[in-house]
Short mmCIF file of all heavy atoms in Angstrom, two decimals:
data_model
loop_
_atom_site.label_atom_id
_atom_site.label_comp_id
_atom_site.label_asym_id
_atom_site.label_seq_id
_atom_site.Cartn_x
_atom_site.Cartn_y
_atom_site.Cartn_z
N ALA A 69 -24.36 182.33 58.93
CA ALA A 69 -25.69 181.77 58.66
C ALA A 69 -26.80 182.72 59.00
O ALA A 69 -27.91 182.43 58.67
CB ALA A 69 -25.85 180.52 59.39
N ASP A 70 -26.59 183.81 59.80
CA ASP A 70 -27.67 184.71 60.16
C ASP A 70 -27.37 186.12 59.80
O ASP A 70 -26.21 186.60 59.97
CB ASP A 70 -28.15 184.58 61.62
CG ASP A 70 -27.10 184.87 62.57
OD1 ASP A 70 -25.95 184.95 62.21
OD2 ASP A 70 -27.36 184.90 63.78
N ARG A 71 -28.28 186.94 59.51
CA ARG A 71 -28.06 188.33 59.06
C ARG A 71 -27.58 189.21 60.26
O ARG A 71 -26.79 190.01 59.98
CB ARG A 71 -29.46 188.99 58.46
CG ARG A 71 -29.84 188.41 57.07
CD ARG A 71 -31.05 189.07 56.62
NE ARG A 71 -31.34 188.34 55.36
CZ ARG A 71 -30.84 188.68 54.15
NH1 ARG A 71 -30.03 189.66 54.09
NH2 ARG A 71 -31.30 188.04 53.11
N ALA A 72 -27.94 188.85 61.40
CA ALA A 72 -27.52 189.69 62.57
C ALA A 72 -26.02 189.70 62.71
O ALA A 72 -25.49 190.60 63.25
CB ALA A 72 -28.28 189.20 63.86
N SER A 73 -25.43 188.60 62.29
CA SER A 73 -24.00 188.48 62.41
C SER A 73 -23.22 189.15 61.32
O SER A 73 -22.00 189.30 61.41
CB SER A 73 -23.48 187.02 62.60
OG SER A 73 -23.79 186.29 61.44
N LEU A 74 -23.84 189.68 60.29
CA LEU A 74 -23.32 190.27 59.11
C LEU A 74 -23.55 191.76 59.12
O LEU A 74 -22.71 192.54 58.90
CB LEU A 74 -23.76 189.60 57.83
CG LEU A 74 -23.32 188.27 57.50
CD1 LEU A 74 -24.08 187.64 56.30
CD2 LEU A 74 -21.94 188.15 57.41
N VAL A 75 -24.89 192.14 59.20
CA VAL A 75 -25.22 193.49 59.00
C VAL A 75 -24.57 194.41 59.97
O VAL A 75 -24.66 194.22 61.12
CB VAL A 75 -26.77 193.59 58.98
CG1 VAL A 75 -27.12 195.10 58.81
CG2 VAL A 75 -27.27 192.82 57.86
N GLY A 76 -23.92 195.49 59.53
CA GLY A 76 -23.28 196.50 60.23
C GLY A 76 -21.85 196.22 60.49
O GLY A 76 -21.11 197.01 61.02
N ARG A 77 -21.41 195.03 60.03
CA ARG A 77 -19.94 194.78 60.12
C ARG A 77 -19.23 195.20 59.05
O ARG A 77 -19.76 195.50 57.90
CB ARG A 77 -19.73 193.29 60.38
CG ARG A 77 -20.36 193.00 61.93
CD ARG A 77 -20.13 191.61 62.32
NE ARG A 77 -18.95 191.42 62.93
CZ ARG A 77 -18.32 190.26 63.18
NH1 ARG A 77 -18.92 189.28 63.03
NH2 ARG A 77 -17.11 190.27 63.75
N VAL A 78 -17.83 194.95 58.97
CA VAL A 78 -17.05 195.47 57.78
C VAL A 78 -16.33 194.27 57.17
O VAL A 78 -15.81 193.45 58.03
CB VAL A 78 -16.11 196.55 58.34
CG1 VAL A 78 -15.10 196.97 57.19
CG2 VAL A 78 -16.78 197.74 58.80
N ALA A 79 -16.14 194.25 55.94
CA ALA A 79 -15.33 193.18 55.28
C ALA A 79 -13.83 193.43 55.59
O ALA A 79 -13.39 194.50 55.25
CB ALA A 79 -15.71 193.04 53.89
N ARG A 80 -13.29 192.29 55.95
CA ARG A 80 -11.76 192.44 56.11
C ARG A 80 -11.00 191.98 54.88
O ARG A 80 -9.94 192.32 54.55
CB ARG A 80 -11.21 191.36 57.30
CG ARG A 80 -11.78 191.71 58.66
CD ARG A 80 -11.40 190.77 59.51
NE ARG A 80 -9.86 190.71 59.70
CZ ARG A 80 -9.37 189.64 60.48
NH1 ARG A 80 -9.99 188.76 61.03
NH2 ARG A 80 -8.01 189.57 60.51
N ARG A 81 -11.73 191.25 54.00
CA ARG A 81 -11.24 190.86 52.76
C ARG A 81 -12.29 190.88 51.68
O ARG A 81 -13.54 191.02 52.00
CB ARG A 81 -10.47 189.56 52.75
CG ARG A 81 -11.38 188.46 53.03
CD ARG A 81 -10.50 187.01 53.23
NE ARG A 81 -11.49 185.96 53.24
CZ ARG A 81 -11.28 185.00 54.13
NH1 ARG A 81 -10.10 184.87 54.82
NH2 ARG A 81 -12.03 183.93 54.16
N THR A 82 -12.00 190.61 50.36
CA THR A 82 -12.98 190.58 49.28
C THR A 82 -13.88 189.42 49.46
O THR A 82 -13.45 188.26 49.67
CB THR A 82 -12.22 190.51 47.84
OG1 THR A 82 -11.37 191.61 47.80
CG2 THR A 82 -13.24 190.57 46.83
N LEU A 83 -15.12 189.84 49.52
CA LEU A 83 -16.20 188.66 49.59
C LEU A 83 -16.74 188.53 48.15
O LEU A 83 -17.31 189.46 47.60
CB LEU A 83 -17.17 189.04 50.64
CG LEU A 83 -16.71 189.34 51.95
CD1 LEU A 83 -17.81 189.78 52.83
CD2 LEU A 83 -15.97 188.16 52.48
N VAL A 84 -16.65 187.30 47.64
CA VAL A 84 -17.08 187.12 46.21
C VAL A 84 -18.59 186.74 46.25
O VAL A 84 -19.17 186.09 47.00
CB VAL A 84 -16.27 185.84 45.64
CG1 VAL A 84 -16.79 185.57 44.13
CG2 VAL A 84 -14.71 186.13 45.77
N ALA A 85 -19.28 187.34 45.11
CA ALA A 85 -20.74 187.13 44.99
C ALA A 85 -21.04 185.64 44.92
O ALA A 85 -20.37 184.88 44.19
CB ALA A 85 -21.16 187.95 43.89
N GLY A 86 -22.03 185.16 45.66
CA GLY A 86 -22.52 183.76 45.58
C GLY A 86 -21.76 182.73 46.32
O GLY A 86 -22.23 181.67 46.46
N GLN A 87 -20.61 183.19 47.00
CA GLN A 87 -19.96 182.36 47.81
C GLN A 87 -20.20 182.53 49.34
O GLN A 87 -20.41 183.69 49.62
CB GLN A 87 -18.39 182.56 47.56
CG GLN A 87 -18.01 182.18 46.17
CD GLN A 87 -18.32 180.74 45.79
OE1 GLN A 87 -17.89 179.84 46.51
NE2 GLN A 87 -18.95 180.53 44.66
N PRO A 88 -20.23 181.54 50.16
CA PRO A 88 -20.49 181.78 51.52
C PRO A 88 -19.31 182.67 52.15
O PRO A 88 -18.24 182.87 51.72
CB PRO A 88 -20.21 180.42 52.12
CG PRO A 88 -20.35 179.39 50.94
CD PRO A 88 -19.90 180.12 49.82
N ILE A 89 -19.77 183.37 53.29
CA ILE A 89 -19.09 184.39 53.86
C ILE A 89 -18.44 183.83 55.04
O ILE A 89 -19.12 183.47 56.03
CB ILE A 89 -19.90 185.70 54.15
CG1 ILE A 89 -20.57 186.31 52.97
CG2 ILE A 89 -19.10 186.64 55.01
CD1 ILE A 89 -21.57 187.29 53.27
N PRO A 90 -17.12 183.66 55.19
CA PRO A 90 -16.41 183.15 56.39
C PRO A 90 -16.58 184.13 57.49
O PRO A 90 -16.51 185.33 57.36
CB PRO A 90 -14.96 182.99 55.92
CG PRO A 90 -14.97 183.08 54.40
CD PRO A 90 -16.12 183.87 53.99
N ILE A 91 -16.79 183.59 58.63
CA ILE A 91 -16.91 184.37 59.93
C ILE A 91 -15.74 185.31 60.08
O ILE A 91 -15.65 186.42 60.51
CB ILE A 91 -17.26 183.59 61.12
CG1 ILE A 91 -18.68 182.92 60.88
CG2 ILE A 91 -17.23 184.35 62.32
CD1 ILE A 91 -19.05 181.84 61.88
N ASN A 92 -14.45 184.62 59.91
CA ASN A 92 -13.33 185.38 60.11
C ASN A 92 -12.81 186.47 59.05
O ASN A 92 -11.87 187.08 59.20
CB ASN A 92 -12.15 184.34 60.21
CG ASN A 92 -11.78 183.62 59.00
OD1 ASN A 92 -12.36 183.94 58.02
ND2 ASN A 92 -10.76 182.85 59.22
N ALA A 93 -13.83 186.57 58.00
CA ALA A 93 -13.62 187.63 57.12
C ALA A 93 -14.29 188.90 57.37
O ALA A 93 -14.33 189.83 56.63
CB ALA A 93 -14.05 187.11 55.74
N LEU A 94 -14.91 188.96 58.74
CA LEU A 94 -15.69 190.10 59.19
C LEU A 94 -14.97 190.74 60.36
O LEU A 94 -14.30 190.07 61.07
CB LEU A 94 -17.02 189.81 59.46
CG LEU A 94 -17.84 189.04 58.36
CD1 LEU A 94 -18.99 188.41 58.89
CD2 LEU A 94 -18.07 189.83 57.20
N GLU A 95 -15.24 192.03 60.57
CA GLU A 95 -14.73 192.72 61.76
C GLU A 95 -15.83 193.81 62.10
O GLU A 95 -16.56 194.23 61.24
CB GLU A 95 -13.40 193.28 61.64
CG GLU A 95 -13.28 194.36 60.62
CD GLU A 95 -11.82 194.98 60.57
OE1 GLU A 95 -10.89 194.44 61.15
OE2 GLU A 95 -11.63 195.76 59.57
N GLU A 96 -15.80 194.16 63.34
CA GLU A 96 -16.62 195.38 63.85
C GLU A 96 -16.18 196.61 63.08
O GLU A 96 -15.01 196.79 62.87
CB GLU A 96 -16.49 195.47 65.27
CG GLU A 96 -17.10 194.36 65.99
CD GLU A 96 -18.60 194.12 65.82
OE1 GLU A 96 -19.43 195.06 65.70
OE2 GLU A 96 -19.02 192.91 65.75
N GLN A 97 -17.09 197.46 62.94
CA GLN A 97 -16.82 198.76 62.38
C GLN A 97 -16.09 199.62 63.25
O GLN A 97 -16.40 199.64 64.50
CB GLN A 97 -18.13 199.62 61.91
CG GLN A 97 -17.98 200.80 61.33
CD GLN A 97 -19.24 201.45 60.90
OE1 GLN A 97 -20.25 201.04 61.26
NE2 GLN A 97 -19.18 202.48 60.10
N LYS A 98 -14.94 200.24 62.81
CA LYS A 98 -14.11 201.08 63.75
C LYS A 98 -14.68 202.42 63.80
O LYS A 98 -14.84 203.11 62.78
CB LYS A 98 -12.66 201.09 63.07
CG LYS A 98 -12.00 199.67 62.87
CD LYS A 98 -11.64 199.23 64.21
CE LYS A 98 -10.81 198.00 64.00
NZ LYS A 98 -10.69 197.01 65.04
N LEU A 99 -15.04 202.78 64.98
CA LEU A 99 -15.57 204.19 65.18
C LEU A 99 -14.52 205.10 65.33
O LEU A 99 -14.62 206.43 65.15
CB LEU A 99 -16.53 204.21 66.34
CG LEU A 99 -17.74 203.43 66.29
CD1 LEU A 99 -18.68 203.62 67.40
CD2 LEU A 99 -18.66 204.03 65.07
#
Side-chain angles (χ1 to χ4, degrees):
D70 62 346
R71 289 185 184 275
S73 66
L74 288 175
V75 176
R77 298 188 77 189
V78 175
R80 292 175 64 191
R81 63 180 191 221
T82 302
L83 304 175
V84 181
Q87 296 299 312
I89 301 170
I91 295 169
N92 65 358
L94 306 169
E95 65 183 357
E96 293 296 323
Q97 184 177 14
K98 305 286 186 196
L99 291 181

